[in-house]
Amino acid sequence: LIENAWILGMAALDEHQLKDSIQLKLVETGEYDRLKEALRQRLIDSGWRDQLKTYAMDVIKNKGDAQLSTEQLTQEIMPHGRDTVPDDVKAFLLTSIRRFVEEQQ
């Protein structure tokens, strides 16, 4: 049991290190900025950005007179934002990152 827990812990550590390594390489090559801009444009084109703005305004209205800090508003809308990213946008980003990793090998 302890050995299995250690193996799972190492796998999680390796996954974290792999993610960090990929992100560093994305930044170093400038691909991170290109992907970020492509993602931003796809989210705008899909209507996701406008939908999230509307959702945020509804959250503010529903809270009434309560003062919401930026942090509180962010905590309130972030789960909805993540859940509503269109599947084709997620697929585009994942495919782009996979292609980048393959090209780096």
Side-chain angles (χ1 to χ4, degrees):
L1 183 62
I2 293 173
E3 186 175 305
N4 287 342
W6 183 81
I7 291 171
L8 289 174
M10 289 303 295
L13 179 61
D14 289 343
E15 182 179 330
H16 182 73
Q17 289 173 334
L18 180 60
K19 286 179 182 179
D20 287 349
S21 175
I22 291 170
Q23 184 167 0
L24 180 62
K25 197 68 167 173
L26 285 166
V27 170
E28 287 175 345
T29 61
E31 187 65 14
Y32 182 86
D33 289 333
R34 285 188 287 280
L35 285 175
K36 187 169 72 170
E37 178 56 28
L39 176 61
R40 186 187 72 77
Q41 191 59 53
R42 285 178 181 259
L43 290 172
I44 290 169
D45 292 347
S46 72
W48 176 88
R49 185 176 178 198
D50 291 334
Q51 291 170 0
L52 191 60
K53 282 183 185 179
T54 300
Y55 180 78
M57 294 306 293
D58 289 344
V59 167
I60 292 168
K61 287 177 189 173
N62 290 334
K63 292 293 180 178
D65 292 336
Q67 293 292 323
L68 277 178
S69 69
T70 303
E71 183 178 323
Q72 290 169 323
L73 181 59
T74 300
Q75 288 176 351
E76 194 77 33
I77 67 171
M78 194 173 301
H80 178 78
R82 286 185 178 144
D83 290 344
T84 57
V85 172
D87 289 340
D88 63 314
V89 174
K90 291 177 189 178
F92 159 77
L93 189 58
L94 183 58
T95 301
S96 297
I97 293 171
R98 281 186 179 150
R99 187 177 312 122
F100 173 80
V101 169
E102 288 170 1
E103 290 170 359
Q104 297 302 307
Q105 294 179 357

